[in-house]
Amino acid sequence: MMEPTGYLLQSAVSGKLYADNGWMLDSGEDGQGLLCSVYDSTQLTDRGASAGLFRFADWLPVSRVVPNSNSPVTYKSTALAARLGLENLWITFSGYWPEKGAAMSTCSFKETEAYSVISRLRPDEKKILVVASAGNTARAFARVCSDNDVPVIICIPADNLGALWYDRPIAPCVKVIATQHGSDYADAIELADVICRISGSAVGVDGFIPEGGAKHIARRGGMGTTVLSAATTIGRIADGYFQAIGSGTGAIAAWEASKRLHADGRFGTNVMRLMLSQNAPFTPIYDAWCAGTRDLAPVSPEKARMYEKQIMAPVLANRRPPYSIAGGLYDALTATGGNVASISNDEACRAGALFAESEGVDICSAASVAVASLVKAVANGSITSDEVIMLNVTGGGEVRYRNEHVTTSMRPDRIVDAGYKYDDIVDVVKSLFV
């Protein structure tokens, strides 16, 4: 039995330390800033692959171990590295690839979020968790909550319901409410916010607890295990970190993990540059970064939804990313000397095919965007051939997994129309628990 991890929370605005109340998402007094976990263990103990995600429990804000988790797997590339002329390309893979020891049944690194968040939740918590997702996060939370009997309401755009596929039934404790066809991730976030404002007594439950998105330290802690996997395998912090982003939460998590590795003292002192990418034309973070501004340009919901329909990786479409917030993506890019690339659908398609041909496994569209940005960085000289590069493949093996397993899609419990009012959502939620 693992003891609860010891940690405090530190404000990115004031630097003030706080004791966690069990589900603290912000300080309530520092304005717009993220909280970051400061762990009692300054040196990381790797508990081994058999511990799953909890091999890195020293740096996860958890109170318990949820069974059957898997951690990302890191290996040194030979084939893709040779194609790109790189001497030290390391791939951190999250997904399904048995030969590499990768066994995430949802085929996405969003499993790292789900297991770490659920493990922070107290076993006696009676309130219902509420999660907003563009797709992959929903699939991961539905699977993990179902397997562990954790009541959850998942909010997802109706057009993204295809992401909810499974090889075995999902338990009734998982409820799915979809926003209308033509909506996007921001609409799902708004719906989740509305649900969390509902009094539990109004719908016959004990209440609701927001998952919290980028503000959740456990979500970022789980995603940061990709960097911990890479560092413990390579033996040092990478020079460059490549990932495609929608919200950029995974990149913030990578930055936070790299700073903990610095403090550990055994993995080097080099700064790991964040080399991020977005799928054009949905590029609000790329546009702001290139403009040298902390402020995102406003994008109308209509324009954002139009762009989302045009991109190969719709899970990267987020018009409310934690870019400007203190401790967020702008600060992470600035601190690491990072950069953001814009990747077209054609570039991503070619890169995905190159990876599959070279490495021998299919990867998701978002990971294809990341590979394309690596190809572009090599071509334009942004990285050198001898640098230690970490490529975060955030999802893969889905085609193979679904060929080897019988999967079915999960239907939503309700789809809510545009223009709904608060009372409409109260009625919808009440109907789920009658």
Side-chain angles (χ1 to χ4, degrees), residues 150-164:
V150 174
V152 64
I153 295 178
I154 294 172
C155 301
I156 182 174
D159 292 338
N160 296 10
L161 285 167
L164 299 183

Side-chain angles (χ1 to χ4, degrees), residues 104-184:
M104 294 183 181
S105 65
T106 65
C107 302
S108 169
F109 88 141
K110 298 298 185 178
E111 270 194 35
T112 66
E113 300 176 24
Y115 276 104
S116 56
V117 168
I118 297 307
S119 296
R120 188 186 181 200
L121 198 66
R122 295 189 306 270
D124 60 351
E125 178 61 68
K126 300 300 183 184
K127 292 182 179 179
I128 296 170
L129 185 65
V130 181
V131 177
S133 171
N136 292 341
T137 298
R139 182 165 73 251
F141 270 91
R143 178 75 279 154
V144 176
C145 288
S146 173
D147 290 348
N148 293 280
D149 197 29
V150 174
V152 64
I153 295 178
I154 294 172
C155 301
I156 182 174
D159 292 338
N160 296 10
L161 285 167
L164 299 183
W165 56 263
Y166 301 97
D167 64 343
R168 58 188 188 279
I170 296 297
C173 63
V174 177
K175 309 294 185 183
V176 175
I177 304 177
T179 52
Q180 71 280 357
H181 291 282
S183 63
D184 64 3

Side-chain angles (χ1 to χ4, degrees), residues 280-303:
F282 203 115
T283 56
I285 295 170
Y286 167 80
D287 296 337
W289 184 249
C290 289
T293 177
R294 190 183 193 99
D295 300 318
L296 293 171
V299 180
S300 70
E302 295 75 20
K303 192 172 185 178

Side-chain angles (χ1 to χ4, degrees), residues 33-343:
L34 294 179
L35 292 173
C36 186
S37 307
V38 179
Y39 294 99
D40 293 351
S41 298
T42 55
Q43 287 199 321
L44 178 68
T45 299
D46 183 351
R47 290 168 167 77
S50 63
L53 189 71
F54 301 96
R55 66 187 301 173
F56 305 120
D58 285 352
W59 291 353
L60 292 173
V62 298
S63 61
R64 56 175 172 154
V65 170
V66 175
N68 302 317
S69 68
N70 294 280
S71 69
V73 173
T74 300
Y75 69 96
K76 189 173 186 180
S77 169
T78 53
L80 181 61
R83 295 284 291 269
L84 298 180
L86 296 175
E87 300 170 16
N88 290 295
L89 173 60
W90 296 80
I91 295 171
T92 300
F93 184 89
S94 299
Y96 180 70
W97 197 356
E99 293 81 2
K100 294 290 187 186
M104 294 183 181
S105 65
T106 65
C107 302
S108 169
F109 88 141
K110 298 298 185 178
E111 270 194 35
T112 66
E113 300 176 24
Y115 276 104
S116 56
V117 168
I118 297 307
S119 296
R120 188 186 181 200
L121 198 66
R122 295 189 306 270
D124 60 351
E125 178 61 68
K126 300 300 183 184
K127 292 182 179 179
I128 296 170
L129 185 65
V130 181
V131 177
S133 171
N136 292 341
T137 298
R139 182 165 73 251
F141 270 91
R143 178 75 279 154
V144 176
C145 288
S146 173
D147 290 348
N148 293 280
D149 197 29
V150 174
V152 64
I153 295 178
I154 294 172
C155 301
I156 182 174
D159 292 338
N160 296 10
L161 285 167
L164 299 183
W165 56 263
Y166 301 97
D167 64 343
R168 58 188 188 279
I170 296 297
C173 63
V174 177
K175 309 294 185 183
V176 175
I177 304 177
T179 52
Q180 71 280 357
H181 291 282
S183 63
D184 64 3
Y185 181 31
D187 295 309
I189 293 172
E190 183 176 335
L191 175 61
D193 290 344
V194 171
I195 293 172
C196 287
R197 295 201 303 269
I198 298 174
S199 165
S201 60
V203 293
V205 299
D206 288 305
F208 302 96
I209 184 169
E211 183 272 328
K215 290 185 175 183
H216 203 297
I217 57 166
R219 173 181 271 215
R220 302 199 313 271
M223 297 171 93
T225 60
T226 55
V227 172
L228 304 184
S229 169
T232 53
T233 303
I234 302 168
R236 55 161 286 186
I237 301 167
D239 297 311
Y241 169 93
F242 283 79
Q243 186 197 325
I245 58 170
S247 71
T249 304
I252 298 169
W255 175 47
E256 293 174 340
S258 71
K259 290 192 290 183
R260 294 186 186 108
L261 290 166
H262 283 162
D264 182 299
R266 296 172 296 167
F267 298 93
T269 58
N270 59 294
V271 175
M272 185 178 75
R273 286 176 296 147
L274 299 182
M275 307 294 284
L276 311 177
S277 49
Q278 294 206 284
N279 194 179
F282 203 115
T283 56
I285 295 170
Y286 167 80
D287 296 337
W289 184 249
C290 289
T293 177
R294 190 183 193 99
D295 300 318
L296 293 171
V299 180
S300 70
E302 295 75 20
K303 192 172 185 178
R305 292 165 187 150
M306 178 184 71
Y307 284 163
E308 181 179 355
K309 289 179 171 59
Q310 296 176 27
I311 62 176
M312 172 180 164
V315 295
L316 300 181
N318 187 329
R319 53 185 163 97
R320 294 172 55 179
Y323 176 79
S324 306
I325 189 170
L329 194 58
Y330 179 85
D331 287 342
L333 285 163
T334 301
T336 65
N339 205 358
V340 187
S342 174
I343 301 298

